[in-house]
Amino acid sequence: MKKTSSKHIMVGMSGGVDSSVAALLLKEQGHYVEGVFMKNWEEDDTETYCPASVDMQDAQSVCDQLEIELHRVNFAEEYWERVFTDFLAEYKAGRTPNPDILCNKEIKFKALLQYAKQRGAEAIATGHYARCRYQQAQCQLLKGVDTQKDQSYFLYALDETQLSQSIFPLGNLSKHTVRELAAKAGFMNHNKKDSTGICFIGERKFKHFLHDYLPAQPGIIETYEGTQIGHHDGLMYYTLGQRQGLQIGGQKNGVEAPWYVVAKDMKRNVLVVAQGHDHPALLTTRLLTQSIHWINGKPDSLPIQVSAKTRYRQQDQACTLVMKTQEEYEVIFDEPQRAITPGQSIVFYQDHRCLGGGIIKR
């Protein structure tokens, strides 16, 4: 966001070090800052696995130190309707969704933004490692300077209106610097472990969590050549490229090598596996993507040479983007890619600029 005079900004406070330092920096810049702690999930045993009360206490502690107000809002209903129902539908269909991306679009940068605007704030801020810039009358999304922490992948579904009213104070900083700033400020959470995974699942085994919401349909495990070698607990519990949890022992007269999931046959309810990390069935140079979202509008001409990520933390991969229909695009990679997973997002870049992305269809 452009540097202007003092603004009224609401910071999404998670109780972690990143959002804490985001609030600190904005306060030091002279802005009128308030914090917001969002509760997005309600369940009897949530506190056991995702201690929201502890996170809220940490957020309150930081706000007290900064002498700013902390608001507490409950978006559990919005989260269930806009994020979790889609999450379940995707797993039921045999795909592997990324709810964090939809949560950013629908909750953090929509419901929270609306809440902030209703209370007179001009913008919201978060602890994401990403940047915005104004160029050619566009508000563009850029990668964070810290390549190890860049989170633009999770923000590709935002539009210019959302980005123009959002601030990312950590975009030019490294994680190491952020922790140093937190320690210098005396924040008790300066060494707090980064949260991973989906908060409402927390430390529970994902399998147990999903079983509570979707009925499992056990079936057989087959080799890529069609030989039955075991049984699975339900296709929704597995993802392409998975090695752990297959419970396939050594096969008579077989080669001693790890097994990997290479396909899910939904019609027959069969899990297909093969040996070898780079088995040909796991490698491809093409994919189809749908539900494309362009942050600053569709490119003027297609095909176009871009780079892309099919998962967070992946190195940018050179590819060509071809429009097949109004709804579908084909992505052709320069080099074979491993374990591309339907339901996940592919995000497109030109250098440091995030163009947008879509959902991998197949």
Side-chain angles (χ1 to χ4, degrees), residues 137-157:
Q138 294 179 336
C139 181
Q140 300 175 347
L141 176 64
L142 305 183
K143 293 180 181 179
V145 169
D146 186 341
T147 57
Q148 298 301 311
K149 288 296 295 181
D150 165 52
Q151 293 172 308
S152 58
Y153 178 90
F154 297 108
L155 303 173
Y156 84 83

Side-chain angles (χ1 to χ4, degrees), residues 52-67:
S53 60
V54 174
D55 290 337
M56 188 174 69
Q57 290 172 10
D58 291 344
Q60 186 66 65
S61 173
V62 169
C63 288
D64 290 343
Q65 284 183 254
L66 295 176
E67 297 181 333

Side-chain angles (χ1 to χ4, degrees), residues 190-226:
H190 71 275
N191 273 328
K192 187 174 182 179
K193 183 180 178 182
D194 288 345
S195 60
T196 58
I198 306 164
C199 187
F200 59 75
I201 296 175
E203 296 178 3
R204 281 171 289 188
K205 288 186 177 181
F206 180 76
K207 194 176 198 178
H208 295 166
F209 172 83
L210 204 56
H211 182 267
D212 290 340
Y213 294 92
L214 293 175
Q217 295 182 331
I220 66 172
I221 299 177
E222 284 184 358
T223 67
Y224 188 66
E225 294 73 27

Side-chain angles (χ1 to χ4, degrees), residues 285-287 305-306 318-322 330-335:
T285 56
R286 296 170 181 258
L287 66 79
Q305 297 288 321
V306 295
C319 60
T320 302
L321 183 62
V322 181
E330 183 178 30
V331 181
I332 306 169
F333 292 95
D334 290 6
E335 301 290 337

Side-chain angles (χ1 to χ4, degrees), residues 77-94:
E77 183 177 348
E78 290 87 345
Y79 191 93
W80 182 280
E81 293 177 353
R82 303 180 194 176
V83 180
F84 191 63
T85 53
D86 178 83
F87 171 88
L88 292 180
E90 286 293 283
Y91 268 105
K92 188 175 182 179

Side-chain angles (χ1 to χ4, degrees), residues 28-319:
E28 290 179 340
Q29 292 167 13
H31 297 292
Y32 174 53
V33 179
E34 295 180 280
V36 183
F37 183 86
M38 295 174 286
K39 184 176 182 181
N40 296 333
W41 187 256
E42 298 215 46
E43 188 178 315
D44 293 340
D45 63 348
T46 296
E47 298 302 311
T48 304
Y49 303 99
C50 183
S53 60
V54 174
D55 290 337
M56 188 174 69
Q57 290 172 10
D58 291 344
Q60 186 66 65
S61 173
V62 169
C63 288
D64 290 343
Q65 284 183 254
L66 295 176
E67 297 181 333
I68 64 176
E69 183 176 358
L70 178 65
H71 300 265
R72 299 171 180 82
V73 294
N74 190 323
F75 291 137
E77 183 177 348
E78 290 87 345
Y79 191 93
W80 182 280
E81 293 177 353
R82 303 180 194 176
V83 180
F84 191 63
T85 53
D86 178 83
F87 171 88
L88 292 180
E90 286 293 283
Y91 268 105
K92 188 175 182 179
R95 296 183 287 270
T96 306
N98 191 323
D100 293 336
I101 291 171
L102 194 55
C103 179
N104 281 329
K105 176 185 176 183
E106 295 292 336
I107 307 300
K108 293 180 182 176
F109 294 89
K110 187 172 183 178
L112 175 60
L113 182 58
Q114 291 172 346
Y115 176 88
K117 299 291 283 186
Q118 289 170 358
R119 281 151 186 78
E122 299 166 74
I124 61 171
T126 67
H128 285 95
Y129 289 80
R131 296 173 292 159
C132 287
R133 74 175 177 194
Y134 283 85
Q135 187 166 301
Q136 300 175 340
Q138 294 179 336
C139 181
Q140 300 175 347
L141 176 64
L142 305 183
K143 293 180 181 179
V145 169
D146 186 341
T147 57
Q148 298 301 311
K149 288 296 295 181
D150 165 52
Q151 293 172 308
S152 58
Y153 178 90
F154 297 108
L155 303 173
Y156 84 83
L158 304 186
D159 58 34
E160 283 194 71
T161 299
Q162 292 169 304
L163 289 171
S164 67
Q165 299 176 87
S166 304
I167 302 173
F168 305 114
L170 310 187
N172 290 306
L173 302 178
S174 69
K175 182 72 177 195
H176 177 72
T177 299
V178 168
R179 289 201 182 277
E180 284 187 333
L181 290 171
K184 184 178 179 181
F187 293 162
M188 61 182 295
N189 63 0
H190 71 275
N191 273 328
K192 187 174 182 179
K193 183 180 178 182
D194 288 345
S195 60
T196 58
I198 306 164
C199 187
F200 59 75
I201 296 175
E203 296 178 3
R204 281 171 289 188
K205 288 186 177 181
F206 180 76
K207 194 176 198 178
H208 295 166
F209 172 83
L210 204 56
H211 182 267
D212 290 340
Y213 294 92
L214 293 175
Q217 295 182 331
I220 66 172
I221 299 177
E222 284 184 358
T223 67
Y224 188 66
E225 294 73 27
T227 302
Q228 180 177 337
I229 60 171
H231 295 83
H232 66 77
D233 297 326
L235 293 182
M236 63 184 176
Y237 299 135
Y238 305 88
T239 189
L240 296 188
Q242 179 176 330
R243 173 184 174 182
Q244 303 296 329
L246 300 181
Q247 298 180 330
I248 302 173
Q251 302 299 306
K252 186 177 181 181
N253 301 323
V255 178
E256 288 296 328
W259 292 90
Y260 295 87
V261 175
V262 298
K264 293 194 283 187
D265 187 330
M266 298 298 294
K267 289 184 178 180
R268 297 192 301 133
N269 192 30
V270 170
L271 188 69
V272 183
V273 299
Q275 289 177 295
H277 181 272
D278 294 320
H279 189 278
L282 282 173
L283 301 175
T284 184
T285 56
R286 296 170 181 258
L287 66 79
L288 278 182
T289 180
Q290 59 188 6
S291 303
I292 289 279
H293 170 75
W294 300 109
I295 296 173
N296 304 115
K298 187 173 70 174
D300 293 333
S301 61
L302 290 167
I304 185 174
Q305 297 288 321
V306 295
S307 61
K309 297 177 187 290
T310 58
R311 61 179 63 85
Y312 180 50
R313 295 192 187 283
Q314 182 188 30
Q315 293 293 317
D316 288 14
Q317 302 295 310
C319 60

